[in-house]
Amino acid sequence: MIYFQSNGIRLLGELILTAKTSRSVVGAITLLQKGVEGLLEGLAAFPADPEIIRFRDAHLLVLKALQDPRAFGENWVNRQVTKTLIETRSDLKFNVEAVDTLIRSNLVNMLQFDAYLANALEKGNNIPAMNFAIPLVRMYCVDDRFSVAVNEGDFFHTADILCRCATMNRQHPEGLLSLVEALRGNTATPLQPPTSLPLPPAETPGSFGERTPPTVSTHLHTGMSQSREFDDPSGLVEKSELLLREWIRLYLTAGSPKDSSKPFSSFINELNLSGILKSDDVITRFFRISVQCCVNQVYQGLQTGGFAFVRGKVYQATDALVRLVSLLIRHIGDEGNSAPKINLLNKFLGIVAGLLIQDHEMQKAEFQQLPFHRMFIMLFQDMMGPDTVFENIAMQALIGFSNTMHIVNPVKVPGFAYAWLEIVGNRMFIARMLALASDQKYWAMYCQLLLDLFKFLQPFMRNADMANPVQTLYRGTLRVLLVILHDFPDFLCDYSYHFLDAIPPNCIQMRNLVLSAFPRNMRLPDPFTANLKFEMLADTSIAPRILSNIGAMITPQTFKKDIDSYLKTRAPVTFLSELRPNLQVQFNEEGNRYNIALINALVLYVGSQHISVIRGRGQTPNLSTVAHTSHMDIFQNLAVDLDTEGRYLFLNALANQLRFPSSHTHYFSLIILYLFAQSNTEVVQEQITRVLLERLVVNRPHPWGLLVTFIELIKNPTYKFWSHEFVHCAPEVEKLFESVARSCMVTKTPAMGSQVQVQTEMTGIHLGTSTNGPSLINFNTSSDSSVLETD
């Protein structure tokens, strides 16, 4: 190894001197080729040796030096590095570690490399290429899918070929099927939006004018890849900038956006004469140059003028560009063929998304989201406007915009988070996604966008680390959820399971917003009605709709099989003793010792199975039918065997099912009450009370099932709630419980304890007696369970 390293460094040094002396392109290419080949050979032979790491860094320094604009520039070097990679012998070029190093160092032309690799797979017949592509695609598209090194379109065609290979009736290379499943899981499961997968079917991507369109995402990802291509023909940049300025002048003198249709007919001739419309490649470059001009105006303007001045100038340029794109989309292709219009739209969206990600990486803290937000929102309004041509492609356009928002979500582009939320929370965007799309076709796609937002907010909400910018984003999220709760409650009902998996347990008010939704055609009974019983309600026989396979979320499969076996036969006998270890994990990045998603899935799965068994016997759930069963054995074991953290998560999973009147709300209310009554320790009873109470002491709304369950717990003497020590552990706690009781009960019973008259003015507690007020209980004291909640 020492000989290999020293010999390689010596040869590299000689080539550096030669290139420096000759200053020729040939000398630079020879040096570059040696740099790439030395890197491939070194990492292939000794990938983890400390000495070879220094050897690797030396080669990277040479390649990065060649990228300097004063030398040969990034575009030229990247093309030559990629060409060397492609032409190197197979035992070297199919080296995952080395290629990963080159990609993360921004030394590879991804558009060129992706096209080569997809072709090199030979439809699955090239085994070395398959064994190379599978871990590489997994690395960037699954394990590190939010890496800034590549975007989601950079391995688009390679992933496409791998997915086609997985459908062939042959023996598959190891890892192929799991990779394809993971790729689909990144964008679909458990939601499975109709066409949001970044994987096209068997059609070959073609031009804007093709008659048989590929999937919506094909041109979107291609546009993203081409946004990184800067090797433009001579004079194209100057020509494009001149044409853009001319169009802006025509647009501003037209009077209104609608009037811009008149000068468009003459301007299209200029585009034709300039050769902009002669091929898909040229028009793509024109779009990229035009978008970049609008973005550059922001940074240039901030150096010379105020933000208000910059915003006005940018609005003029971006609005004109968007209007030009809209008119091109409107007039391209035949009247009955929508494929070219959708292809052009998605190509432009991909270019804007690609430039956004690239600008965010380059500018870092100086990144300006204004021009990108304006382009997205204005183009969306144009596409969704009252135009018969655009109405015919509106549904496909929704898919394109949804995919774009998913690609540039706050996890991927944190600097775009405010603009992103403003687009996703825009009234027109919400209405189109949730109301105007037929058969709720795009609900899953909008759900995925909200999950992207929750994923970004998770670490801040979980740790209560909310600086002012994050608080602003959090409040905006609450407002979006409130709008959806008011206008589209059925959406929250159907996807509540997915949202609750993504919302940290300490975000109680946000959880209540989701859980308070009930079907629009349902009329909720007043939870404060005296002697209200679940058995009196017809809705308690109907199961709520859950749009996912809960059983499939219980992993591994052996654990799922053990659950099914125990529910049927109470075997294996070791199941209950091994239940807690199966739910535990080593400390993960969230700092949890339990798999929260698995606990939620287990609780809902066991409960659903129990309801089916009870209904199958012709019975209805009650305290007698749920007791002494294998299902209850599991719940009781979890309540007793788990530690404080695990029990809290388990009880939260039960309380998450207390929603509108349904068979699930009825059943899980019984489970909570049964566990409270049968518990032999006040620790469990106190924790049950805490889980229920902390959901009531935040601002409204409060879930209907939560109110009914808590009222039953404190009102029914069977549970002896007021005799427990934790109710009287401190005067302020006792006052709080009595205040809650007065708001929930018509008359007090002797079992409630002392008849202390509480002065609400002194405690800061406001009581209400109906569910229509702003708050059931609103108190001014702080607690760790409501630190994130806002008024």
Side-chain angles (χ1 to χ4, degrees):
M1 183 192 72
I2 296 176
Y3 171 77
F4 168 82
Q5 180 182 351
S6 60
N7 188 56
I9 293 291
R10 180 185 59 80
L11 184 56
L12 189 65
E14 292 175 357
L15 290 173
I16 291 175
L17 290 175
T18 302
K20 183 178 180 181
T21 302
S22 66
R23 296 183 179 273
S24 66
V25 174
V26 175
I29 291 178
T30 304
L31 175 61
L32 182 146
Q33 289 174 343
K34 181 55 187 176
V36 174
E37 290 171 359
L39 197 64
L40 292 172
E41 291 176 8
L43 293 183
F46 317 103
D49 189 273
E51 293 298 324
I52 212 67
I53 298 301
R54 285 194 285 272
F55 175 80
R56 176 203 67 186
D57 292 343
H59 285 69
L60 287 178
L61 283 173
V62 171
L63 296 174
K64 296 298 287 184
L66 291 172
Q67 275 189 333
D68 192 291
R70 294 168 295 180
F72 293 91
E74 180 178 325
N75 296 317
W76 184 87
V77 171
N78 287 9
R79 284 202 313 275
Q80 294 300 323
V81 169
T82 308
K83 183 173 182 290
T84 304
L85 267 179
I86 292 172
E87 295 175 353
T88 303
R89 63 182 194 267
S90 299
D91 60 322
L92 290 183
K93 65 182 173 185
F94 292 144
N95 180 337
V96 175
E97 290 80 9
V99 173
D100 175 50
T101 299
L102 290 170
I103 290 175
R104 292 185 187 275
S105 301
N106 193 28
L107 286 163
V108 179
N109 183 309
M110 293 306 302
L111 183 64
Q112 184 182 356
F113 185 72
D114 178 42
Y116 160 75
L117 186 56
N119 186 60
L121 294 176
E122 298 176 4
K123 300 181 180 179
N125 295 319
N126 188 338
I127 301 303
M130 291 288 290
N131 292 334
F132 166 75
I134 290 171
L136 192 68
V137 172
R138 177 179 290 278
M139 179 188 302
Y140 284 109
C141 299
V142 179
D143 299 335
D144 194 16
R145 58 190 296 246
F146 294 109
S147 166
V148 298
V150 299
N151 60 53
E152 294 193 17
D154 285 334
F155 282 107
F156 178 75
H157 297 98
T158 303
D160 172 26
I161 297 298
L162 290 175
C163 287
R164 297 184 198 180
C165 293
T167 63
M168 297 179 182
N169 188 17
R170 63 166 72 160
Q171 184 174 359
H172 302 298
E174 183 179 357
L176 176 61
L177 296 180
S178 62
L179 170 63
V180 172
E181 182 179 351
L183 287 172
R184 298 187 184 281
N186 277 347
T187 53
T189 54
L191 309 176
Q192 296 178 347
T195 45
S196 64
L197 294 175
L199 307 174
E203 293 90 344
T204 301
S207 67
F208 296 135
E210 63 192 350
R211 296 289 180 170
T212 304
T215 59
V216 168
S217 57
T218 300
H219 285 90
L220 176 63
H221 288 287
T222 303
M224 290 183 63
S225 298
Q226 292 176 325
S227 68
R228 294 174 177 261
E229 180 62 54
F230 296 102
D231 187 24
D232 296 311
S234 176
L236 181 61
V237 174
E238 295 78 9
K239 185 190 302 182
S240 298
E241 292 176 350
L242 184 63
L243 287 169
L244 178 62
R245 284 196 295 269
E246 174 63 15
W247 170 250
I248 294 174
R249 185 188 66 79
L250 293 173
Y251 175 83
L252 294 177
T253 56
S256 71
K258 291 183 179 180
D259 295 333
S260 60
S261 301
K262 299 175 182 177
F264 174 76
S265 56
S266 61
F267 184 72
I268 199 73
N269 292 329
E270 290 189 43
L271 291 177
N272 270 317
L273 293 174
S274 302
I276 298 297
L277 302 180
K278 70 179 182 181
S279 69
D280 299 337
D281 178 67
V282 178
I283 194 173
T284 298
R285 293 175 185 275
F286 172 74
F287 283 160
R288 174 178 50 74
I289 294 168
S290 299
V291 172
Q292 192 64 62
C293 285
C294 295
V295 174
N296 290 341
Q297 277 192 1
V298 176
Y299 297 104
Q300 294 167 1
L302 287 175
Q303 297 176 358
T304 59
F307 193 81
F309 170 78
V310 171
R311 183 168 56 185
K313 295 289 290 184
V314 170
Y315 282 179
Q316 291 178 359
T318 55
D319 291 359
L321 176 59
V322 166
R323 185 58 181 167
L324 175 61
V325 173
S326 299
L327 290 170
L328 286 171
I329 293 172
R330 192 181 191 283
H331 292 91
I332 195 173
D334 300 331
E335 184 176 347
N337 183 18
S338 63
K341 303 179 189 300
I342 291 298
N343 294 342
L344 184 58
L345 169 63
N346 283 285
K347 179 61 74 75
F348 183 76
L349 288 173
I351 290 170
V352 178
L355 288 174
L356 190 161
I357 295 172
Q358 181 179 317
D359 193 53
H360 184 269
E361 294 170 5
M362 294 176 58
Q363 299 294 339
K364 301 188 184 303
E366 302 300 321
F367 171 75
Q368 295 292 332
Q369 55 190 343
L370 174 65
F372 301 104
H373 169 260
R374 185 70 175 183
M375 285 182 205
F376 283 134
I377 201 68
M378 294 302 294
L379 185 58
F380 183 81
Q381 291 179 0
D382 270 7
M383 292 296 101
M384 301 299 147
D387 188 303
T388 54
V389 175
F390 291 149
E391 286 174 358
N392 294 331
I393 62 171
M395 298 299 102
Q396 292 170 293
L398 278 178
I399 298 174
F401 278 100
S402 299
N403 281 332
T404 305
M405 291 300 103
H406 175 57
I407 289 170
V408 298
N409 70 74
V411 178
K412 178 77 173 181
V413 194
F416 192 63
Y418 287 156
W420 187 92
L421 181 58
E422 190 168 334
I423 295 170
V424 170
N426 181 276
R427 58 184 179 83
M428 181 182 291
F429 192 88
I430 295 176
R432 286 285 176 174
M433 294 296 294
L434 301 183
L436 301 184
S438 59
D439 303 324
Q440 304 170 359
K441 187 176 181 181
Y442 303 111
W443 281 23
M445 300 180 73
Y446 194 74
C447 175
Q448 180 62 62
L449 295 178
L450 290 182
L451 291 178
D452 291 336
L453 178 59
F454 293 150
K455 183 174 182 178
F456 175 72
L457 287 171
Q458 257 186 1
F460 304 105
M461 297 190 297
R462 182 177 58 245
N463 302 320
D465 180 19
M466 300 185 72
N468 288 336
V470 182
Q471 288 184 27
T472 301
L473 193 66
Y474 175 77
R475 286 194 293 269
T477 303
L478 287 181
R479 290 173 180 175
V480 170
L481 288 177
L482 280 169
V483 170
I484 297 174
L485 175 64
H486 182 271
D487 294 343
F488 308 101
D490 294 271
F491 170 73
L492 290 180
C493 292
D494 289 352
Y495 291 99
S496 63
Y497 179 86
H498 306 293
F499 296 143
L500 295 175
D501 254 4
I503 299 173
N506 60 326
C507 296
I508 300 164
Q509 186 177 13
M510 187 175 285
R511 283 174 168 264
N512 277 358
L513 280 175
V514 175
L515 293 172
S516 296
F518 59 92
R520 187 174 292 277
N521 60 1
M522 176 182 289
R523 185 176 180 84
L524 284 185
D526 186 350
F528 302 101
T529 302
N531 301 317
L532 176 67
K533 299 295 182 183
F534 274 105
E535 293 78 4
M536 301 163 50
L537 307 176
D539 290 320
T540 56
S541 62
I542 304 173
R545 188 166 68 153
I546 299 176
L547 300 179
S548 64
N549 184 354
I550 302 300
M553 297 183 186
I554 300 177
T555 56
Q557 280 299 311
T558 53
F559 182 44
K560 167 72 163 45
K561 291 179 181 178
D562 288 344
I563 294 173
D564 291 334
S565 174
Y566 187 84
L567 292 179
K568 293 177 182 178
T569 64
R570 278 195 165 100
V573 293
T574 59
F575 174 77
L576 292 180
S577 62
E578 296 173 351
L579 188 54
R580 175 176 173 177
N582 280 322
L583 299 176
Q584 287 180 315
V585 294
Q586 292 184 346
F587 273 107
N588 54 22
E589 60 182 7
E590 291 85 12
N592 298 321
R593 292 189 295 116
Y594 288 89
N595 186 335
I596 299 178
L598 183 57
I599 292 176
N600 292 339
L602 171 67
V603 166
L604 184 54
Y605 180 75
V606 172
S608 301
Q609 295 294 311
H610 200 182
I611 294 172
S612 299
V613 170
I614 294 173
R615 296 290 184 187
R617 295 172 181 167
Q619 301 173 327
T620 57
N622 54 53
L623 290 176
S624 299
T625 56
V626 302
H628 309 300
T629 62
S630 58
H631 308 76
M632 183 57 74
D633 288 348
I634 293 177
F635 290 146
Q636 287 185 301
N637 176 268
L638 291 173
V640 174
D641 189 49
L642 293 176
D643 58 16
T644 302
E645 178 190 352
R647 188 183 305 113
Y648 177 75
L649 296 173
F650 162 64
L651 294 175
N652 261 303
L654 293 175
N656 286 344
Q657 307 307 317
L658 302 179
R659 302 193 286 158
F660 54 87
S662 68
S663 61
H664 283 195
T665 300
H666 182 199
Y667 172 82
F668 284 101
S669 177
L670 289 171
I671 295 299
I672 291 174
L673 295 173
Y674 183 87
L675 291 176
F676 188 95
Q678 297 299 316
S679 176
N680 296 323
T681 171
E682 280 210 344
V683 173
V684 175
Q685 295 166 328
E686 182 178 358
Q687 208 162 10
I688 290 175
T689 304
R690 179 222 169 150
V691 168
L692 297 179
L693 187 64
E694 70 182 4
R695 297 178 180 226
L696 290 172
V697 295
V698 297
N699 288 338
R700 288 186 173 178
H702 302 114
W704 180 89
L706 172 71
L707 289 168
V708 172
T709 302
F710 191 75
I711 291 171
E712 178 68 13
L713 178 64
I714 65 176
K715 186 176 180 180
N716 193 330
T718 303
Y719 305 110
K720 302 177 181 178
F721 179 82
W722 299 100
S723 65
H724 290 288
E725 183 179 347
F726 62 81
V727 176
H728 311 284
C729 64
E732 58 269 28
V733 173
E734 186 172 3
K735 290 178 181 180
L736 175 62
F737 278 121
E738 292 188 350
S739 298
V740 174
R742 283 207 311 276
S743 69
C744 295
M745 300 168 60
V746 178
T747 58
K748 295 175 86 174
T749 64
M752 285 174 55
S754 62
Q755 305 291 320
V756 179
Q757 191 69 30
V758 181
Q759 297 295 327
T760 59
E761 292 83 359
M762 294 176 60
T763 60
I765 298 175
H766 171 73
L767 303 178
T769 56
S770 73
T771 60
N772 297 321
S775 172
L776 173 66
I777 304 169
N778 183 15
F779 64 106
N780 297 328
T781 57
S782 62
S783 72
D784 59 348
S785 64
S786 60
V787 68
L788 297 178
E789 311 309 331
T790 60
D791 291 334

